[in-house]
Amino acid sequence: MSKTKTYTKYYGRYFPVISKNKIAAVVLSSAMALTSALPAFASSTYEVNKVSQIEASGSISGLRVIVTVPANTLKANTPEKIRFTLPTDLTMPTGTNFATIGGTFSTPMIGANLKNQFTNVSAVALGGTGTSGNNYVEFTVYKANDPASPAALGEGRLVIDFPALKASGLNTGDVKLKAEAASDSAFSNASITIATVGSGSVAVSVDDIKNISSSNSQPVDSIYFKEDRSAALKTDPTSIKLKLPAGFSWANKAAVSVNSIWGTSGIATVDTTAGDERELIIKGNSLSSQAAYFRLDGATINVDESVAKKGDVIVNVSGATTTTPSSFTIARYGEFNTNVSVYGDVPTIPAGKNFDTISEIGSFKIEEEIAGSLIDDRTITLTLPEGARWNTPNSASPYAGFTKNGETKEGRVNGISWTIVDKDDAGRILKGTFDILQNNSTTAAKYILEKAQVSTAVDFSGDLAVEVGGTAGMTGKLVLAKVAPSATVSVSEVKPVTLGLGAQAIGDITITEGIKEAFNKDNTLLSTTVEGSTTEDNVINVQLPLGVFFDGTPTVEVTSGDMLIETSSITVNQNGSDGSQGSLRFRVKSSSTTPSAIKISNVKITSDRTVPEGDIVVKVRGSAVNKSAFSGRGTAASAVVAKLVTPAPSEVKPDATFKIGDTKYNVNGVEKSMDVAPYIKDGRTFLPVRFVAEALGVTSDNIIFDGATGTVTLIKGSTVAQFTIGSKELKINGATIQMDVAAEISSDRTMLPLRYIAQALGASVAFDEATQTVTVK
């Protein structure tokens, strides 16, 4: 049965680990064997100070090779030899004296200030290829003798400075220096890369892309040229040619100067007479002996605006010298113009939120074509679509919702001050006024604005398209967000229900978030009452129409996603004091990280005899889905959940029409007259209560006016509706509904908006705007 061996590493070699019961037997022999074996597996290392890049017939200067062997690896009184051989087509000067190059053998060549086990380099022998020079060198070293402190001798280190090496037709690729030693030597054999042969190239670049206009002699940034090796720039009349696109020309070639940064200087000049007006010719005067880095300063460009195209001005690079890249952008041409555009990704946000992080819209960019396009005190306006606003309309403070992106380049823009110009109306129009510095900056401004938050109505969805205007000349539309509905609602089956019967089962109702955190809980109370509550800020309200009630408490559960609801808060409300007749309510305990769905099952409803036949629509409302408090827009989603199929028995369904400004009206085909005409006020349609009530079947003795209190009472079947002149409260069977306008007197008749008359009497209404006709059924 074979056993697995374990090895340990020592002096670069691996040895099997000896088990404990064999240690005593082998300790002496192992120690002796190890001492004698060390030189046999010692491994030297080779380092070079640089790998030069040269031409095939170029030269290598300043080459240093450092050879290191581990401590205590040389044999006492035994010389060690190492030979370095160059490739055939690379030689040293004939008669090279390494003692002269290194100064002395004893210090530089063995390493100054080292406890070196090499005592000296006792001999140097050169060989070569005859009169063409030498192509190998051989060194002999000795071990230092320090019996008093042998450990202090340390490693062995040999530092070799080579003279300038001359190539004569080397092949393309790596140039190798070969190191050779005897098989039992402390030195190991190696092939050391000391250079790479190639044709060489010059890198062309600019630090900054200037913005230029059509004015003459537009300055551009300095152009940099960097050789990757000596002699990369060719000696040629057209060593490098810089050609501008059509419509652009070099303005004053004589003013362009060549300035050295490092390396061999004076190798290039600008030929002011060569080439056409679009070409700038760099003439190579001589090959560099040390890789050069230089730049062209003072270049300017003229623009023929009848030909030149706006955008990047791209210079084509050609000539006898190999250059990278083959083209580069030197400037950006434009006129005094400013553009605005969307910057980055467009987020999706939920509807119904009121300036919080989940209603943060996308970024946009204001960018000058050229510096100076923006003028002090000019403005940009950003108008949100209807159903969205920048801030609460009554806010007196300047808007500060935007922050500046870190990639902004101000140029001459000191800042933008923001105000909401329609804050007393809708809060949709935001105006930014530019503060422009009066300096000579040539940097075109790129101003990026981000992290603004908006408020959207809970029933808003689709693109949040911001219309751009103002005196700065920017126009267009920016889609800065996609608004997802806070909720959608569906029912498993639309079932028929019968008028006046209780506990009628309908299908399961599912409410689904449009986006994560659409149903949220926060501790900030709303500034405007939503759903009649200023204390509960996390309520979902499932609302049935007036006259329809939940019979018993349905089952409410989260069926997907990770939102949590407070099961103890699930309640139904009938004839409640807050006017939420026919509602199912529950609270959000924890908002979601993935869109969640809530299922309402075991649903039973009852309808009273005032409910008209047709669709029964459920609405999703409440402060958990709606934080924005847009007046009259509190419903996040709605769906038909049942269909009332039986009309109220023994009743003739009324059909009456009224026309704005006309005292004549029609009831079931019979024309009648009133002593006051309907009218429209502040966008609301007001009708005389008495004539509408009679048209809907309320007898005159069930229309009661109390002159002392100004209270009107209407009685229809089991429904009792009351309202008071000058008050915004409408009571139906004792439940109070807040109206947004008060009942008023016109021509001695009580007038009320059409919506509330219909709500009080359980009627359906329609308004034909073209004919200004109201139909009541």
Side-chain angles (χ1 to χ4, degrees):
M1 178 178 178
S2 63
K3 296 183 179 180
T4 301
K5 292 184 179 181
T6 304
Y7 292 83
T8 185
K9 188 176 182 182
Y10 192 65
Y11 278 99
R13 297 293 180 90
Y14 289 89
F15 299 89
V17 175
I18 303 171
S19 61
K20 292 182 179 179
N21 61 350
K22 293 185 179 180
I23 290 176
V26 300
V27 65
L28 182 58
S29 60
S30 294
M32 293 174 65
L34 184 60
T35 301
S36 63
L38 280 175
F41 51 78
S43 179
S44 58
T45 60
Y46 300 85
E47 298 176 73
V48 294
N49 61 330
K50 63 178 180 179
V51 177
S52 300
Q53 293 178 312
I54 65 170
E55 298 283 346
S57 296
S59 61
I60 302 172
S61 59
L63 173 64
R64 169 172 284 186
V65 178
I66 302 172
V67 187
T68 306
V69 298
N72 199 30
T73 54
L74 291 184
K75 300 174 183 178
N77 303 317
T78 302
E80 294 276 8
K81 290 187 178 183
I82 182 169
R83 172 180 290 194
F84 294 96
T85 304
L86 296 168
T88 301
D89 296 321
L90 183 65
T91 60
M92 294 176 285
T94 303
T96 298
N97 188 337
F98 275 83
T100 302
I101 297 170
T104 66
F105 288 160
S106 61
T107 302
M109 294 198 69
I110 63 174
N113 302 318
L114 293 172
K115 293 180 178 179
N116 199 326
Q117 64 176 294
F118 295 163
T119 183
N120 57 37
V121 182
S122 65
V124 176
L126 294 174
T129 58
T131 58
S132 63
N134 303 294
N135 73 335
Y136 72 86
V137 57
E138 187 174 274
F139 298 97
T140 303
V141 300
Y142 293 84
K143 178 179 179 181
N145 186 13
D146 189 359
S149 182
L153 295 176
E155 63 185 14
R157 192 175 187 205
L158 183 63
V159 181
I160 307 166
D161 288 318
F162 281 80
L165 307 176
K166 178 63 178 174
S168 56
L170 287 170
N171 292 328
T172 300
D174 290 343
V175 179
K176 303 283 188 178
L177 175 67
K178 182 167 63 175
E180 296 177 287
S183 60
D184 60 348
S185 172
F187 298 108
S188 54
N189 296 330
S191 182
I192 308 160
T193 299
I194 60 173
T196 302
V197 176
S199 61
S201 65
V202 176
V204 186
S205 64
V206 293
D207 284 339
D208 189 25
I209 298 173
K210 300 292 187 183
N211 290 272
I212 63 174
S213 67
S214 57
S215 300
N216 284 334
S217 298
Q218 292 288 295
V220 293
D221 197 30
S222 297
I223 308 171
Y224 293 81
F225 301 86
K226 188 176 184 181
E227 291 185 304
D228 68 348
R229 66 196 68 187
S230 61
L233 184 76
K234 304 304 180 186
T235 54
D236 192 276
T238 56
S239 183
I240 297 178
K241 184 190 300 184
L242 305 176
K243 188 167 186 176
L244 290 166
F248 301 91
S249 59
W250 298 104
N252 186 359
K253 297 179 183 180
V256 181
S257 61
V258 178
N259 297 296
S260 176
I261 299 173
W262 68 57
T264 305
S265 61
I267 62 173
T269 54
V270 174
D271 191 335
T272 59
T273 60
D276 61 27
E277 62 181 7
R278 290 169 53 193
E279 295 174 328
L280 188 64
I281 306 297
I282 299 172
K283 178 182 178 181
N285 297 323
S286 60
L287 295 176
S288 63
S289 59
Q290 183 181 5
Y293 187 20
F294 61 93
R295 70 175 184 265
L296 298 187
D297 294 326
T300 54
I301 293 176
N302 286 338
V303 181
D304 180 354
E305 58 186 316
S306 67
V307 178
K309 294 182 179 180
K310 290 184 179 181
D312 289 345
V313 181
I314 299 175
V315 175
N316 183 62
V317 186
S318 61
T321 297
T322 301
T323 54
T324 56
S326 60
S327 64
F328 66 95
T329 299
I330 195 171
R332 186 169 290 115
Y333 167 58
E335 293 301 332
F336 288 99
N337 191 26
T338 306
N339 300 307
V340 60
S341 59
V342 175
Y343 182 80
D345 296 333
V346 176
T348 299
I349 64 174
K353 304 308 171 189
N354 194 46
F355 312 110
D356 53 26
T357 54
I358 60 173
S359 64
E360 187 176 289
I361 62 175
S363 307
F364 69 96
K365 175 177 62 176
I366 299 169
E367 189 169 23
E368 293 180 309
E369 281 195 18
I370 61 173
S373 297
L374 285 169
I375 299 174
D376 194 36
D377 288 333
R378 294 286 175 89
T379 63
I380 179 174
T381 59
L382 304 172
T383 303
L384 289 169
E386 196 277 328
R389 58 173 171 247
W390 293 108
N391 211 330
T392 50
N394 295 323
S395 173
S397 62
Y399 182 74
F402 284 112
T403 60
K404 186 173 63 176
N405 180 282
E407 295 183 23
T408 288
K409 292 183 178 179
E410 286 90 346
R412 297 169 61 242
V413 178
N414 189 43
I416 306 173
S417 59
W418 299 98
T419 55
I420 297 173
V421 296
D422 63 338
K423 65 179 185 298
D424 294 326
D425 181 15
R428 292 170 50 203
I429 306 175
L430 181 65
K431 181 177 75 174
T433 303
F434 292 97
D435 179 12
I436 304 300
L437 296 172
Q438 302 305 309
N439 59 26
N440 295 321
S441 173
T442 59
T443 300
K446 182 175 73 172
Y447 219 82
I448 303 168
L449 295 158
E450 62 180 1
K451 299 187 183 303
Q453 298 168 4
V454 298
S455 177
T456 53
V458 73
D459 58 354
F460 187 101
S461 64
D463 289 346
L464 188 78
V466 180
E467 187 171 350
V468 180
T471 60
M474 291 172 279
T475 58
K477 284 192 175 183
L478 305 175
V479 176
L480 295 182
K482 304 284 188 181
V483 182
S486 284
T488 57
V489 60
S490 60
V491 63
S492 61
E493 181 185 359
V494 178
K495 295 182 178 180
V497 295
T498 304
L499 178 69
L501 295 182
Q504 299 181 78
I506 64 173
D508 296 339
I509 301 170
T510 300
I511 304 170
T512 306
E513 287 185 297
I515 191 174
K516 70 176 183 178
E517 297 184 292
F519 303 167
N520 68 338
K521 174 182 180 179
D522 61 46
N523 295 320
T524 303
L525 297 179
L526 299 172
S527 59
T528 303
T529 300
V530 175
E531 296 297 322
S533 173
T534 57
T535 58
E536 294 181 331
D537 66 337
N538 56 345
V539 171
I540 294 178
N541 182 8
V542 183
Q543 182 78 58
L544 291 169
L546 286 171
V548 182
F549 313 99
F550 287 100
D551 195 316
T553 302
T555 301
V556 182
E557 58 185 334
V558 176
T559 55
S560 66
D562 57 354
M563 181 178 63
L564 299 178
I565 62 174
E566 296 180 10
T567 55
S568 61
S569 69
I570 301 171
T571 57
V572 294
N573 196 342
Q574 299 179 20
N575 297 318
S577 60
D578 63 355
S580 57
Q581 181 176 346
S583 68
L584 167 68
R585 292 184 169 211
F586 50 89
R587 296 189 185 96
V588 174
K589 184 177 181 180
S590 177
S591 58
S592 65
T593 59
T594 58
S596 300
I598 301 169
K599 181 180 178 182
I600 304 170
S601 55
N602 301 318
V603 185
K604 296 179 180 180
I605 62 172
T606 296
S607 66
D608 65 24
R609 299 178 69 82
T610 66
V611 181
E613 66 176 321
D615 294 340
I616 295 177
V617 177
V618 70
K619 299 177 180 180
V620 179
R621 302 168 65 88
S623 55
V625 297
N626 180 21
K627 295 288 185 185
S628 59
F630 277 74
S631 178
R633 300 180 70 167
T635 299
S638 61
V640 175
V641 294
K643 193 173 289 288
L644 191 62
V645 296
T646 305
S650 69
E651 290 185 9
V652 177
K653 290 180 63 64
D655 188 347
T657 56
F658 299 80
K659 192 169 184 178
I660 303 302
D662 193 346
T663 56
K664 291 184 173 57
Y665 67 106
N666 191 293
V667 180
N668 292 330
V670 179
E671 185 175 276
K672 297 185 178 184
S673 296
M674 306 176 288
D675 53 7
V676 60
Y679 57 86
I680 295 176
K681 179 180 177 182
D682 295 331
R684 309 303 297 274
T685 302
F686 284 79
L687 275 73
V689 173
R690 173 173 291 276
F691 296 106
V692 176
E694 288 178 347
L696 292 175
V698 180
T699 59
S700 57
D701 58 345
N702 282 328
I703 304 173
I704 304 166
F705 178 71
D706 186 345
T709 62
T711 299
V712 177
T713 302
L714 304 176
I715 303 172
K716 183 183 179 183
S718 60
T719 301
V720 177
Q722 288 184 315
F723 51 89
T724 302
I725 305 301
S727 172
K728 293 183 180 181
E729 289 188 350
L730 169 63
K731 291 185 178 181
I732 300 176
N733 291 340
T736 301
I737 296 173
Q738 290 290 332
M739 302 184 294
D740 55 358
V741 295
E744 59 185 42
I745 299 293
S746 177
S747 300
D748 294 326
R749 287 295 183 185
T750 302
M751 309 293 287
L752 200 63
L754 174 63
R755 167 188 171 186
Y756 296 110
I757 298 177
Q759 191 169 356
L761 298 175
S764 62
V765 297
F767 179 69
D768 187 340
E769 186 172 0
T771 62
Q772 296 285 287
T773 301
V774 179
T775 301
V776 182
K777 294 183 180 180

